Amino acid sequence: MERKYRMDNKDENKDYVVRLDKARKSRSKNDYKKYFMIGGAGVLLVAGVIAAGAAVKRGSVAPVALATASEATNQSDSKNIDGAAKASEEAIKQAEESKKVLASYKNLGIVKASGYLNIRKNPGTDGDVIGKLQGDGACDVLEKTADGWYKITSGGIEGYINSEYVITGEEATKKAETLVKLRAVVKADSMNIRKEPSKSSDSVGQALADERFEVLDQTDGWVKISSGYLSSDYVTLEYSLNEARKLDLKAMVFNYYKNLGISNVDNFLNVREEPNEKGKVIAKMPSKAAGEILETTTDGWYKIQSGSITGYVKSDYIITGQPAKDEAMQVAQLMAIVNTDMLNARSEPSTDSKIWTQVSNNERYPVLKQIDGWVQIELEEDSNAYVATDFVDVRYSLPQAIKFSPLEEKNNAQASKRTQIVNYALQFLGNPYVWGGTSLTKGADCSGFTMSVYSKFGVGLPHYSGSQGGMGTSVKSSDMKPGDLLFYASSKGTINHVAMYIGNGQIVHAASRRSGIKISSWNYRSPVKIRNMLGD
């Protein structure tokens, strides 16, 4: 039986070889038939897929999972096609929205200035500034005056702008086509811009009613913009061009406070780390400074946030409610707030003008004049400079707390003397500036202040900042100590101001009639000299 099985197997192998040979010959002669049949099969496959799809649509058969490599490739291609189709739909929608936006303007104008362009109440550089249009901002041009001004409307503001910085007609339309974006329009009086998409995240700024911000992304009830996140509860999303923003009028300072408190003192109010008289002093609130009252303790203290400072103040020295608002309206000033590390200050409103000093980040300076692209600021009494509007935020604001910790007495006698000089000088914070004055209580100018403070400790100084700058010994900024004097120069390079270093990167000085004796950062502008008057 075993032999018969082997014989049969051998014959079967032989037959298999013969059949295989015939198949090879047949295949070599009929390759063209194979290709024809493959092509036909492809057609039938496509037809089958279409028929199956139709059947599935009718509900007559269930869809079958695809498994072949070619079918998997088709699935990938389908996804790519879907993505392309979606992008195409978005492009079409963008184009349609762009047409609608452009059609809403009767005579479109686009600002071509760097930074922003002032909108004035009347045509001319002397007209009151009532708003601002950022570069690439849009407006409707209502008419053109004979002296180079456009009367425009934008963002609910009607006023005048310099026509030199505006393009119109086909050029404006073509430019605007690239500027229509999905924007978040603020509908609340004011709202926080958050660092992260969460109500518990730190606030990095404020957005005011009707301001527009380009939408970068949307996620879980939040809209991402260039500076942070806005809650979608308080904005509407619409395709638009950027438009004008109203000048922050005095009343708009209230948008920054929900529970306003104003310091009711003649000089400075201590801000403490804890709500008691023994709490460490961490800052001082100048007279009429503003803060947000966060909570009230049971023993007569307010927890308050003022600027970057959060701490406790005696409630006896804080006014609230309508009296606080009335006071705020009296003291709010138009300020230029620096938003870059160091900003060049020039003697004239031009980049061709000499840079004669630099001002530091977050410092606030009273605004004396606004010219397109430039702001004239007050540094001290009779010492003014121009800075570019690209690097400052111009708005009405209230005084805020100043970070400050008093110097402690040291065992070292020399250190103790310096501490005594500084602490004595700080007793006169808030007292008035009087040109030529030497009284620490009734009024002094910058050199009269330093002269009178040093006189208390047996050091005689002349009553002129230039002369004081020639006394003592030179000190590097990295080596200065409390009590050293810092000197600042005019645009001509002549010393015209002096201040006293009090430690922690700060100075005290009689600055101007606006601010009196106050605390500033030592590099609120660049000093030209630092001198040690004690010889230690």
Side-chain angles (χ1 to χ4, degrees):
M1 292 293 293
E2 182 180 351
R3 182 180 177 191
K4 184 177 184 298
Y5 171 79
R6 289 178 178 171
M7 289 290 290
D8 290 344
N9 192 45
K10 181 177 181 182
D11 290 340
E12 285 176 5
N13 290 340
K14 181 178 181 181
D15 291 341
Y16 173 76
V17 172
V18 171
R19 288 197 303 271
L20 182 61
D21 185 55
K22 287 181 179 180
R24 287 172 177 166
K25 291 178 180 179
S26 174
R27 183 175 59 189
S28 63
K29 291 179 181 178
N30 298 298
D31 276 348
Y32 72 93
K33 293 181 180 180
K34 176 190 68 175
Y35 297 131
F36 177 80
M37 291 178 68
I38 290 173
V43 172
L44 290 174
L45 178 60
V46 171
V49 170
I50 293 172
V56 170
K57 187 174 183 180
R58 292 194 302 270
S60 58
V61 297
V64 180
L66 303 180
T68 67
S70 61
E71 289 166 338
T73 301
N74 287 340
Q75 284 184 332
S76 176
D77 290 343
S78 177
K79 290 181 181 179
N80 291 337
I81 291 171
D82 288 344
K86 185 176 181 181
S88 178
E89 288 176 3
E90 291 175 354
I92 292 171
K93 182 179 180 181
Q94 173 82 18
E96 290 174 349
E97 294 292 343
S98 181
K99 287 180 180 179
K100 291 178 185 178
V101 171
L102 297 182
S104 67
Y105 293 86
K106 294 180 179 179
N107 188 9
L108 179 65
I110 298 292
V111 173
K112 63 179 181 179
S114 174
Y116 64 83
L117 188 62
N118 289 319
I119 304 174
R120 299 183 182 272
K121 188 174 182 179
N122 300 302
T125 55
D126 294 331
D128 291 339
V129 178
I130 58 175
K132 53 190 178 183
L133 254 171
Q134 292 180 321
D136 290 338
C139 64
D140 241 327
V141 178
L142 305 178
E143 63 181 64
K144 185 174 183 178
T145 69
D147 51 355
W149 291 80
Y150 283 146
K151 184 178 182 180
I152 61 100
T153 179
S154 178
I157 304 173
E158 188 171 299
Y160 294 86
I161 57 177
N162 192 328
S163 62
E164 180 182 351
Y165 302 101
V166 183
I167 57 175
T168 57
E170 291 184 6
E171 185 182 2
T173 300
K174 186 175 180 181
K175 177 70 173 176
E177 288 174 351
T178 66
L179 299 175
V180 174
K181 307 287 184 184
L182 183 63
R183 301 180 195 275
V185 184
V186 179
K187 293 306 177 186
D189 289 339
S190 68
M191 65 183 297
N192 289 316
I193 302 173
R194 302 283 184 181
K195 185 176 181 180
E196 301 293 340
S198 168
K199 290 183 179 179
S200 61
S201 177
D202 293 338
S203 172
V204 294
Q206 288 277 316
L208 304 179
D210 297 326
E211 290 185 340
R212 304 179 181 191
F213 300 88
E214 184 180 345
V215 175
L216 303 181
D217 196 5
Q218 300 178 60
T219 174
D220 297 330
W222 293 88
V223 177
K224 185 178 181 181
I225 62 176
S226 60
S227 55
Y229 292 86
L230 297 173
S231 171
S232 57
D233 292 340
Y234 306 105
V235 299
T236 59
L237 303 184
E238 61 184 53
Y239 283 90
S240 66
L241 293 167
N242 203 8
E243 288 203 351
R245 297 182 182 181
K246 293 179 181 178
L247 182 69
D248 296 318
L249 302 175
K250 282 188 178 183
M252 295 188 76
V253 299
F254 301 137
N255 290 325
Y256 293 89
Y257 303 93
K258 293 181 180 178
N259 191 8
L260 177 67
I262 299 289
S263 60
N264 188 26
V265 292
D266 292 331
N267 40 42
F268 280 70
L269 175 63
N270 287 326
V271 182
R272 297 182 182 273
E273 196 169 57
E274 298 173 351
N276 59 68
E277 295 286 358
K278 295 182 179 180
K280 179 183 177 182
V281 175
I282 58 173
K284 286 183 177 288
M285 291 183 73
S287 176
K288 315 305 179 188
E292 177 74 19
I293 297 176
L294 303 176
E295 61 183 63
T296 303
T297 70
T298 57
D299 51 354
W301 292 80
Y302 284 140
K303 185 177 183 181
I304 197 166
Q305 180 178 344
S306 181
S308 61
I309 304 297
T310 299
Y312 293 88
V313 294
K314 288 284 290 183
S315 59
D316 292 345
Y317 302 106
I318 297 289
I319 56 176
T320 60
Q322 190 58 46
K325 290 186 176 182
D326 293 340
E327 192 69 65
M329 289 296 288
Q330 295 298 316
V331 299
Q333 288 188 43
L334 190 61
M335 306 290 283
I337 304 168
V338 181
N339 57 27
T340 188
D341 288 341
M342 292 298 290
L343 177 59
N344 293 329
R346 301 175 186 271
S347 55
E348 298 295 335
S350 168
T351 53
D352 294 330
S353 178
K354 176 186 176 183
I355 300 170
W356 61 276
T357 192
Q358 290 185 313
V359 294
S360 59
N361 195 17
N362 294 321
E363 285 290 332
R364 298 170 172 232
Y365 301 90
V367 173
L368 302 179
K369 184 189 295 184
Q370 296 186 71
I371 301 172
D372 289 331
W374 296 88
V375 176
Q376 187 183 36
I377 60 173
E378 179 188 73
L379 298 175
E380 307 97 14
E381 188 72 14
D382 296 327
S383 186
N384 311 321
Y386 290 91
V387 293
T389 56
D390 290 358
F391 308 105
V392 293
D393 180 20
V394 178
R395 62 178 175 85
Y396 278 92
S397 66
L398 299 168
Q400 295 180 332
I402 300 166
K403 184 178 181 180
F404 169 78
S405 294
L407 295 178
E408 298 178 359
E409 294 290 335
K410 302 290 180 65
N411 293 329
N412 181 281
Q414 291 179 337
S416 178
K417 184 175 183 179
R418 286 181 174 273
T419 301
Q420 291 173 24
I421 291 172
V422 167
N423 289 342
Y424 178 71
L426 290 172
Q427 294 180 39
F428 307 105
L429 285 172
N431 287 349
Y433 174 100
V434 174
W435 187 85
T438 59
S439 172
L440 296 174
T441 54
K442 295 181 180 180
D445 59 16
C446 64
S447 56
F449 172 70
T450 53
M451 180 186 75
S452 296
V453 169
Y454 263 105
S455 176
K456 171 73 173 178
F457 296 89
V459 179
L461 297 177
H463 187 188
Y464 172 55
S465 58
S467 298
Q468 290 182 12
M471 301 184 68
T473 57
S474 179
V475 176
K476 295 180 180 179
S477 61
S478 57
D479 298 328
M480 59 185 175
K481 300 175 183 177
D484 288 340
L485 299 186
L486 289 80
F487 297 87
Y488 304 85
S490 68
S491 59
K492 296 180 180 179
T494 304
I495 290 175
N496 68 344
H497 190 67
V498 58
M500 179 181 290
Y501 186 63
I502 60 174
N504 299 315
Q506 295 174 307
I507 56 171
V508 60
H509 58 143
S512 68
R513 280 172 286 186
R514 287 175 183 262
S515 55
I517 298 172
K518 71 172 189 175
I519 294 172
S520 299
S521 299
W522 73 276
N523 60 347
Y524 79 102
R525 69 178 180 110
S526 305
V528 293
K529 279 186 179 182
I530 303 173
R531 309 292 286 184
N532 176 351
M533 299 296 176
L534 297 176
D536 55 0

